[in-house]
Amino acid sequence: MRTGTIGRGLGLATALAALLTGVFMAPASAGRAAPDQAPAAARAAAPAAFTHPGVLVSRPQLDFVRAKVQAGAQPWKSAYDQMMGSKYASLGRTAKPRAVVECGSYSNPNYGCTDEREDAIAAYTLSLAWYITQDSRYAAKAVEIMDAWSAVIKDHTNSNAPLQTGWAGSSWPRAAEIIKYTYSGWPNAGRFATMLRTVYLPKVINGSNSNGNWELSMTEAAIGISVFLDDRTSYDKAVSKFRGRVPAYIYVTADGSLPKAAPGSGLDTRDEIIGYWQGQSTFVDGLSQETCRDLTHTGYGLSAISHIAETSRIQGQDLYPEIADRLRHALGLHAKYQLGAAVPSSLCGGSLKDSLGPVTEVGFNALHNRMGIAMTNTQTLTEQQRPAGSNNLFVAWETLTHANNPN
């Protein structure tokens, strides 16, 4: 598993500290389109009352999945079998909590990093298994794992701490939402909420000026935690962060000659922006800030974007229309080349590395099936990859939960 390749590392983070600070500036470029953001005061996002369960999956979505699995319909049945055959669904799992999870660059050191991420994915997996089967053993095991961590963990440390917190913090509230609102046997739910508020939320709510997948994963965690905590203030802050980061992660030609800069990044010259975009100086619709790094990290960013938009839709303010053009272009561009199209020399020197991973189902279902956008390359790749499994970081079982899900 390529857990360590995310971090730029402590040394690089220090070297960039002066560059990646400061007040919000738009990059200087002639002919740039006007920012696609209205004044913040007019764009509050949090609902008057949150919908539960409502992090990535809703009760109507879960009911749809349960009915499809019970009917033996595909691709949901094969996706369910894949999930139930995984280590994450095991009723024999023993959680491995620790007070301080220490994750350095390239996951070195790795003191609890893998254990935390995988226990969080397991809790989510078991919560899905509970809902689909209504076998309370799965809910009880999810509760056991969540209780084990909420009783122990105090902090995340070292250079990858923000990203680690974002990854685990994306999975925990998905599980917690399902268990709290569909199962009656969780007396320590309040302690788990306190853990999310005191250990996780402070690490992710202010974002990061590292690579875009960092801030997007951190924002996903902040959104999910805010839903579970019914915290409208944190929810609005996270959505505001999202609205600034997505246009700075995915380029479209309407942006002008250069990509947008994220608020607070301090990137205000052409050379700085090109350097941040991995040296890429030719920009096309759907290019991501990490495309020329590799497709895997790009997939992390696109996945988090889809997850955040999905949760917002469940909560009653659909962010998909705001980001649909960028997301459809990004999914289509990267799917095209992963499917084998020749990479032009103008794109990352004519070579792309790695693959997106199991990350296209949520965005594809929203944009193509719900919004009616034609996405030929994304559809081909999505269907080829079914059933989509887990990346063992923060993505899990999205063919099961989101394939052709109309809810």
Side-chain angles (χ1 to χ4, degrees):
M1 180 173 64
R2 303 174 64 253
T3 60
T5 60
I6 302 300
R8 286 193 158 201
L10 187 57
L12 183 53
T14 301
L16 287 175
L19 171 63
L20 299 179
T21 55
V23 298
F24 172 29
M25 297 184 205
S29 71
R32 180 175 304 286
D36 49 3
Q37 293 153 2
R43 295 168 66 80
F50 286 97
T51 297
H52 303 290
V55 176
L56 187 59
V57 290
S58 65
R59 189 184 293 268
Q61 288 175 318
L62 291 167
D63 287 340
F64 172 86
V65 171
R66 186 176 181 220
K68 291 296 187 181
V69 171
Q70 289 178 334
Q74 298 296 352
W76 304 275
K77 181 59 165 61
S78 62
Y80 168 78
D81 290 342
Q82 175 196 43
M83 181 184 81
M84 296 303 287
S86 76
K87 62 183 178 181
Y88 298 119
S90 172
L91 289 170
R93 186 177 190 88
T94 300
K96 298 178 180 179
R98 62 173 64 213
V100 178
V101 175
E102 182 179 355
C103 306
S105 179
Y106 294 87
S107 289
N108 182 22
N110 181 344
Y111 297 136
C113 314
T114 301
D115 292 338
E116 180 189 30
R117 291 193 305 266
E118 294 196 347
D119 277 349
I121 291 173
Y124 175 53
T125 301
L126 291 157
S127 73
L128 291 173
W130 143 250
Y131 197 89
I132 293 169
T133 66
Q134 295 295 291
D135 183 335
S136 63
R137 294 178 302 164
Y138 293 108
K141 178 58 69 170
V143 167
E144 177 187 310
I145 292 169
M146 290 189 287
D147 283 354
W149 279 92
S150 69
V152 171
I153 190 166
K154 302 298 182 186
D155 199 10
H156 297 85
T157 64
N158 215 318
S159 57
N160 267 30
L163 181 64
Q164 173 73 20
T165 308
W167 280 341
S170 293
S171 297
W172 286 130
R174 297 176 203 160
E177 280 280 299
I178 294 171
I179 295 300
K180 181 177 180 180
Y181 292 99
T182 71
Y183 178 69
S184 60
W186 192 15
N188 290 318
R191 188 178 74 194
F192 190 83
T194 298
M195 175 195 80
L196 292 180
R197 182 175 294 284
T198 61
V199 178
Y200 289 81
L201 189 59
K203 279 284 199 298
V204 297
I205 191 62
N206 293 315
S208 163
N209 284 318
S210 186
N211 283 305
N213 82 86
W214 275 56
E215 185 158 85
L216 289 162
S217 289
M218 293 164 68
T219 302
E220 180 185 347
I223 290 278
I225 290 168
S226 297
V227 171
F228 186 71
L229 297 177
D230 291 307
D231 185 338
R232 300 180 75 249
T233 299
S234 294
Y235 187 92
D236 280 344
K237 185 172 182 177
V239 169
S240 178
K241 183 71 68 175
F242 175 78
R243 284 171 159 154
R245 174 53 85 168
V246 174
Y249 193 69
I250 301 171
Y251 174 86
V252 291
T253 54
D255 295 337
S257 61
L258 288 174
K260 293 175 180 285
S265 70
L267 300 175
D268 58 1
T269 71
R270 177 180 176 84
D271 287 347
E272 287 171 349
I273 293 167
I274 289 173
Y276 186 57
W277 283 63
Q278 321 294 326
Q280 179 71 10
S281 59
T282 301
F283 301 98
V284 297
D285 281 328
L287 186 76
S288 97
Q289 181 257 317
E290 296 184 276
T291 301
C292 295
R293 184 184 186 186
D294 57 65
L295 295 187
T296 301
H297 289 90
T298 298
Y300 299 159
L302 300 184
S303 181
I305 290 169
S306 300
H307 293 167
I308 292 165
E310 190 74 3
T311 294
S312 79
R313 190 188 63 85
I314 294 167
Q315 295 306 324
Q317 184 171 28
D318 193 349
L319 293 173
Y320 277 117
E322 295 182 25
I323 55 101
D325 196 49
R326 294 181 190 274
L327 185 57
R328 76 174 179 93
H329 279 303
L331 288 171
L333 178 78
H334 297 91
K336 172 184 175 180
Y337 293 118
Q338 186 169 324
L339 290 167
V343 182
S345 60
S346 60
L347 179 61
C348 309
S351 177
L352 295 173
K353 294 188 295 184
D354 302 335
S355 62
L356 289 173
V359 304
T360 62
E361 288 278 14
V362 176
F364 173 70
N365 184 55
L367 301 182
H368 178 71
N369 294 329
R370 294 197 198 111
M371 297 177 69
I373 298 171
M375 301 175 72
T376 303
N377 290 323
T378 306
Q379 180 170 359
T380 300
L381 180 63
T382 300
E383 292 175 351
Q384 280 187 7
Q385 294 187 150
R386 286 178 177 168
S390 175
N391 69 357
N392 305 309
L393 300 174
F394 71 105
V395 175
W397 325 124
E398 293 181 355
T399 296
L400 176 66
T401 56
H402 287 84
N404 304 327
N405 196 322
N407 298 295

